[in-house]
């Protein structure tokens, strides 16, 4: 049998239910592995106490037929969501004692594509320690890639699930808007409307089967989130050929990275080998969509979090945040309302695109992963960083499901693509992504 930390979540769940493994064996193996590899990564910053006692209690009970899908399976939880007995610090020293009723690291306020903060330090990429693990769910992706837990929980407002998966050579899904309920009881205010509409919770894992398992576990009903949607399977793939759309010039003025071009060509070739038709097609109003993503998001962020940013974040974060704000037009109230209306029109145009194709393939990022803290070290490069992440921002703006998965390695740098589908077709997109994964393979466990 493979070593326990290298087992997938699906394998672990099956072996726990069949009693081929005990919960105590699984937890002890992952805790020992964490102690060995986490010092190099700094991915996990808070570990659940008395876990052996809990494992023994679960082994005595053993799961019934109605047990949760991840019964006994070790996972990580991002430190910007409430968890009983643990601090939801969101990377801020000022919130280090914000104990809610094993968290993974996140940047300050979870507003970066990198993962470091003054409270817990820098998280590193297990595929290449010099590279960012992505952000803001960088701790989740780094942990999963290294075998610390089998699934990592994260969230995604501008790529914070898919970009860490891309950087660490693992897989993730940004679910459809409303697919996974979200609510933090410790929050001092409700999230504003556009931020709530563009942000989702989701899983990161080493293969698509585990991403599906994690999504099914997360997507259960909660009365705390009135936007939760119990969407049925779209049935798009039933007895019909699948057509994948793509664009060679999604953002023609973006970074021209040969490794990213190769990853797209590898994915298109894999689709054709699998018998999936590929069609070149334009994405409507893609440039305007990402401009509006920034304009609307930072209008709300300035209003709701401006005082907190000024009072509680590091100087490096303040400088970076100022660069974000300056990158987009500033909206007054009338312009904000007009932008919300314009968003509805763009989403309608993109929905019509899916009458022509079933899915849309695009880069996850338009650049290979940057070095750690590149935004802090080289603030003059912030426009380049923002431009590279436009495919990520586009998906959040639209509220659509998108699966990120690796296509391979370029030297010691992971690369990959994302596959976007129509609203509430999460299961279908995962099915097709699994076909793509079958052709391309997975990167497996990172060796530290």
């Amino acid at each position: 049998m493979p070593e326990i930390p290298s087992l997938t979540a699906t394998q672990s769940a099956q072996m726990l239910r069949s009693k081929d493994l005990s919960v105590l064996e699984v937890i002890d193996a992952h805790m020992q592995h964490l102690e060995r590899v986490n010092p190099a990564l700094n991915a996990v910053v808070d570990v659940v106490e008395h876990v052996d006692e809990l494992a023994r209690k679960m082994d005595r009970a053993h799961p019934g037929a109605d047990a949760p899908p991840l019964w006994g399976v070790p996972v990580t939880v991002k430190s910007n969501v409430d968890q009983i007995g643990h601090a939801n610090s969101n990377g801020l020293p000022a919130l280090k004692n914000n104990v809610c009723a094993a968290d993974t690291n996140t940047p300050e306020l979870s507003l970066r594509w990198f993962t470091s903060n003054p409270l817990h330090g820098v998280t590193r990429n297990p595929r290449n320690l010099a590279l960012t693990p992505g952000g803001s769910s960088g701790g989740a992706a780094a942990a999963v890639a290294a075998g610390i837990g089998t699934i990592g929980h994260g969230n995604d407002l501008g790529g914070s699930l898919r970009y860490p998966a891309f950087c660490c050579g693992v897989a993730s899904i940004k679910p459809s808007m409303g697919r996974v309920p979200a609510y933090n009881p410790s929050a001092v205010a409700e999230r504003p409307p556009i931020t709530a509409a563009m942000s989702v919770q989701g899983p990161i894992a080493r293969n698509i089967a585990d991403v599906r398992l994690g999504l099914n576990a997360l997507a259960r009903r909660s009365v705390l989130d009135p936007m939760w949607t119990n969407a049925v399977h779209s049935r798009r793939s039933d007895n019909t050929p699948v057509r994948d759309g793509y664009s060679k010039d999604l953002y023609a003025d973006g970074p021209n990275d040969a490794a990213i071009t190769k990853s797209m060509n590898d994915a298109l070739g894999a689709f054709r080998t699998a018998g999936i038709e590929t069609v070149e097609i334009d994405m409507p109003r893609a440039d305007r969509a990402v401009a509006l993503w920034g304009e609307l998001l930072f209008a709300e962020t300035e209003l709701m979090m401006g005082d907190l940013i000024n009072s509680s974040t590091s100087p490096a974060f303040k400088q970076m945040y100022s660069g974000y704000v300056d990158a987009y037009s500033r909206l007054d109230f009338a312009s904000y309302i007009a932008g919300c209306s314009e968003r509805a029109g763009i989403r309608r145009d993109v929905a019509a695109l899916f009458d022509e194709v079933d899915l849309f393939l695009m880069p996850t990022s338009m650049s290979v992963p940057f070095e750690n803290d590149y935004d802090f070290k080289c603030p003059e490069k912030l426009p380049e960083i923002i431009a590279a992440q436009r495919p990520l921002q586009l998906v959040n703006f639209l509220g659509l499901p998108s699966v990120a998965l690796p296509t391979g390695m370029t030297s010691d740098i992971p690369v990959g693509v994302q596959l976007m589908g129509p609203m509430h077709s999460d299961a279908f997109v995962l099915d097709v992504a699994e076909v793509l994964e079958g052709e391309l393979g997975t990167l497996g466990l990172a060796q530290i």
Side-chain angles (χ1 to χ4, degrees):
M1 184 181 77
E3 290 188 3
I4 289 173
S6 68
L7 295 173
T8 67
T10 303
Q11 291 169 329
S12 299
Q14 291 171 345
M15 295 179 77
L16 285 163
R17 288 173 185 272
S18 65
K19 295 189 178 182
D20 291 321
L21 284 175
S22 69
V23 179
L24 185 60
E25 286 177 298
V26 172
I27 295 300
D28 279 353
H30 276 271
M31 292 295 287
Q32 292 172 24
H33 187 65
L34 182 152
E35 290 173 0
R36 184 176 71 82
V37 304
N38 194 56
L41 301 177
N42 191 36
V44 175
V45 296
D46 185 16
V47 180
V48 174
E49 296 179 352
H50 310 300
V51 67
D52 283 1
E53 179 183 331
L54 175 61
R56 291 188 183 94
K57 181 179 180 181
M58 293 177 70
D59 281 328
R60 289 193 297 270
H62 196 66
D66 59 346
L70 293 176
W71 186 90
V73 179
V75 300
T76 60
V77 179
K78 191 173 175 181
S79 61
N80 67 352
V81 298
D82 289 2
Q83 188 171 221
I84 294 173
H86 295 265
N88 180 349
S89 67
N90 211 355
L92 295 178
L95 298 181
K96 67 180 180 180
N97 295 319
N98 183 32
V99 176
C100 307
D103 299 338
T104 57
N105 207 17
T106 184
E108 295 167 84
L109 293 174
S110 301
L111 278 176
R112 291 172 62 208
W113 290 295
F114 302 81
T115 298
S116 68
N117 61 65
L119 184 60
H120 297 299
V122 178
T123 297
R124 296 174 181 84
N125 189 326
R127 307 281 181 193
N128 183 329
L129 296 177
L131 300 177
T132 179
S136 60
S137 307
V144 163
I148 304 173
T150 59
I151 295 174
H153 156 268
N155 27 56
D156 193 317
L157 175 60
S160 291
L161 284 161
R162 291 158 292 142
Y163 188 56
F166 167 80
C167 291
C168 294
V170 290
S172 182
I173 182 171
K174 187 215 84 70
S176 295
M177 182 179 68
R179 187 72 186 94
V180 176
Y183 176 68
N184 268 337
S186 70
V188 296
E190 296 285 352
R191 303 189 88 182
I194 291 295
T195 303
M198 297 197 302
S199 177
V200 296
Q201 311 291 314
I204 299 174
R206 293 195 297 273
N207 63 25
I208 298 299
D210 283 3
V211 172
R212 183 186 292 108
L213 181 64
L215 179 61
N216 289 340
L218 285 166
R220 296 187 171 194
R221 175 179 179 268
S222 171
V223 297
L224 297 175
D225 186 353
M227 292 176 64
W228 179 81
T229 302
N230 184 21
V232 298
H233 194 294
S234 67
R235 319 307 304 180
R236 272 189 173 247
S237 59
D238 291 1
N239 304 315
T240 58
V242 174
R243 302 180 81 219
D244 169 67
Y246 70 97
S247 172
K248 289 183 178 178
D249 298 313
L250 181 62
Y251 294 108
D253 63 337
N256 184 16
D257 194 308
I260 301 304
T261 299
K262 182 180 184 301
S263 70
M264 280 289 290
N265 289 336
D266 288 346
L268 289 168
F271 269 150
R272 291 163 188 152
T273 300
I276 292 176
E277 182 184 3
T278 60
V279 180
E280 191 168 358
I281 190 169
D282 289 332
M283 170 62 65
R285 302 166 72 182
D287 284 299
R288 181 58 183 150
V290 296
L292 263 180
W293 172 86
E295 291 171 7
L296 294 171
L297 174 62
F298 287 106
E300 291 188 342
T301 303
E302 284 278 84
L303 177 65
M304 302 295 291
M305 299 174 64
D307 290 345
L308 180 63
I309 289 169
N310 288 330
S311 65
S312 301
T313 59
S314 66
F317 183 91
K318 289 184 179 72
Q319 181 180 32
M320 178 223 64
Y321 176 76
S322 178
Y324 280 158
V325 173
D326 290 345
Y328 300 99
S329 300
R330 299 191 182 221
L331 304 184
D332 58 19
F333 181 69
S335 298
Y336 171 82
I337 296 299
C340 291
S341 298
E342 188 178 0
R343 176 175 180 259
I346 295 174
R347 294 181 69 208
R348 184 178 299 108
D349 290 347
V350 174
L353 173 76
F354 291 109
D355 283 342
E356 306 297 324
V357 295
D358 297 294
L359 305 127
F360 191 84
L361 180 75
M362 57 185 164
T364 308
S365 173
M366 297 178 73
S367 172
V368 295
F370 297 103
E371 67 177 275
N372 273 316
D373 281 349
Y374 186 62
D375 57 342
F376 282 1
K377 296 172 184 175
C378 304
E380 74 279 4
K381 297 291 187 180
L382 196 59
E384 170 191 325
I385 296 169
I386 294 172
Q389 313 303 30
R390 285 180 288 180
L392 296 166
Q393 302 158 19
L394 174 66
V395 177
N396 292 92
F397 178 83
L398 298 170
L400 300 179
S402 184
V403 174
L405 71 163
T407 57
M409 299 280 288
T410 298
S411 183
D412 59 350
I413 299 176
V415 289
V417 294
Q418 62 177 326
L419 193 59
M420 182 175 69
M423 182 64 79
H424 301 313
S425 63
D426 303 51
F428 168 67
V429 180
L430 283 167
D431 289 345
V432 180
E434 199 161 28
V435 173
L436 187 57
E437 179 185 76
E439 297 292 333
L440 296 170
T442 66
L443 297 186
L445 204 64
Q447 301 302 311
I448 308 300

